[in-house]
Amino acid sequence: MMVMPAGTSQVLLVLLLCWVAPSRQELAPVQLRLGGPRGPAGEGRLEVLYQGRWGTVCDDGFDFHAATVACRQLGYTAAITWTHSATYGQGEGPIWLDNVRCGGSEGSLAECVHNGWGISDCHHGEDAGVVCSGQRLPGTSPQAATSGHLGEVSGLTLEEVRLKPILARAKLSMPVMEGAVEVKHNGRWRQVCDASWTRNNSRVVCGMLGFPREKHINTSFYRKLWDRKLKDPNSSLKTLSQKNSFWVHKVRCQGSEPHLARCPMQVAPPAPRQHACPHGMHTIVSCLPGPAFQKGTGKGKNKNKITPGKVLPVRLRAGTHVGEGRVEVLRHGQWGTVCDKQWDLAAASVVCRQLGYGTAKQALVGARMGQGLGPIHMSNVRCTGHERSLGECRFQDAEQNGCRHEADAAVRCHMPYMDFKSQVRLAGGRNPEEGVVEVLVPVQGRLQWGAVCGAQWGLNEAMVVCRQLGLGFASHALQETWYWAGSPDASRVVMSGVRCAGTELALQQCQHHGPVHCPSGGGRFSAGVTCTAHAPDLVMNAQLVQETAYLEDRPLGLLYCAHEERCLSRSADNMQWPYGHRRLLRFSSQIHNLGRADFRPRMGRHAWTWHQCHRHFHSIEVFTHYDLLTLNGSKVAEGHKASFCLEDTNCPDGLQRRFACANFGEQGVSVGCWDTYRHDIDCQWIDITDVPPGSYTFQVVVNPKHEVAESDFSNNVMRCQCKYDGQRVWMHGCHTSDAYGADVVSDLERRERLANNLV
């Protein structure tokens, strides 16, 4: 029998109790909130309140299970995804949690395994975020105070505004552009009295409904209808209109407000027994739609005259939905971004109206729609809200303010309701973001649901479907869907030969066959899509190509592997190997991911192709394609580069490299990072051995076969003017296809053609 020293048993008992019972502080419920410039509800940087201080969560080890626990704790039904590398901006204060490991069933993030409170080797560039489902759990009050975003309208008593169509033509119109104004005040719909109603009020209402301008309307006919209804004994209008709860008494807007709730308003008349709308009727408003929402060609004439010299064309990039994105302006012939210093709803609304949308719902800061590349044109933009172009607002040059692309401004605009969503659906998928595409189209005089023929179905068509459904971008376009069962009432193919530019608002706007012609017959060959809220966007660094281009005469003895991979011109097949050389136009390429999702190869590692000669795997067989074209557009030489090592060569400060090729690692390009292929590696060239001296156009196309979906394919092409004298080569004017205005590009090409007598 072992004898313990006196007091040892008591010490062991204390240690045992300490080991068994977790500390009360460790299991104390913690509060969570979502930080950063807020977008839709349930989306943002994850922040934790511990010991009275708010801090962040590191993305190391964070996964979907942890996101599920966090979303449930925040009061949402489920997690959609999680984000890394401070997608929602860098937080402040301590990083409370690191290496969080959850099973998914925990009731609080504090119950998950982690390093311990405040024990972390991370920085705020690694802050984790979550995207939760939009529905809250019934009966829950989230333990969160969601951070406000720039442009948030707080304390609204006016919840919604709508136009109730009165005339038959207005009822048939989509979108509804004319009717009686109704506002939802404290949960109840009310009419607005037309007494003292102004055109400025109409401008604000139209902006909220997604229209850039209001239209003058003669209300005398509406007055006759109103009076007739008041006299109709079967109408309840007379009784209702005598109640003050039926009316909003008075609204006074200046016309620059982004929301009617920002206007001074009297819901009830000032005197207790005064009638809210004596001798008046409901307010009638008529709005003018933007070009994209007009009937016919969709190219409406802009009757607004803008002062010459102050027109700055604008565009939106990388937005998940129509009417949102990073703001870019065309200045000095080149597209560039806007710095978010003093960026507000007034400036954002000018951008939205200029593009043919309504006022801005949100003015987003901190590169919420991804970082741009190239110049930053504007900073400290100050608008009154009445300007017709962003160029009419006061602003400063961004160079004077030290702005960087981490501060690129973005907007979300009010859009007219078009009911496009009800004309397409996905069926048979594992989740609402995927499935067989089914469309509602007229068949023999009546609307009928049916399938779309999978023949020639591609990413452009899939992009339109995902946008139409409000699901963002297409990640896959499927021509065979045998593993998804479509709806029984939509088995017939009702649309075939679909060809979309990719910018349409609905599939019904795309070109397609008149009579349906689908030899494959639908069924398992019906079109399908997979949608995603965020997508990558690859853009070539044009300046680096211009700076690194040179010629090399390379001996054939060093080109066996390149020849095997078809990186040389066909004439190389007929040479006396290994004697002789090939003339190569070499250059470096740096490809940035400016999107909001990582760029990953379509195929998993198990499907990559091994190339024995170079001893590496190809994750994408043709990642970039190179062409040398005459000024008339004829191809004289070409090259290509496979993706044998798609990785984060570099990332900006605050972002961590996530993809590396070493040891058969995962390949990809993270958001904000870039992949560099140096000029001195095999196949990073065009073989110009057979090309005569002259002036040419050098062209690089990234992701040429659209194997991987991107948010924007218009910037995947880079072009340079190239002059070759037989011994030396000069590159100049390098730019991505969307970097300059069309007039600048055509002027560059015109001058080059004139210089070479090609008129």
Side-chain angles (χ1 to χ4, degrees), residues 38-56:
R38 197 177 94 197
E43 180 180 333
R45 180 178 61 249
L46 188 59
E47 298 186 353
V48 184
L49 181 64
Y50 181 68
Q51 292 184 343
R53 292 187 68 191
W54 286 101
T56 61

Side-chain angles (χ1 to χ4, degrees), residues 57-58 60-63 66 97-102 109 112-114:
V57 179
C58 181
D60 289 351
F62 201 86
D63 60 11
L97 296 175
D98 188 9
N99 289 312
V100 179
R101 299 285 184 190
C102 304
L109 211 60
C112 300
V113 177
H114 53 84

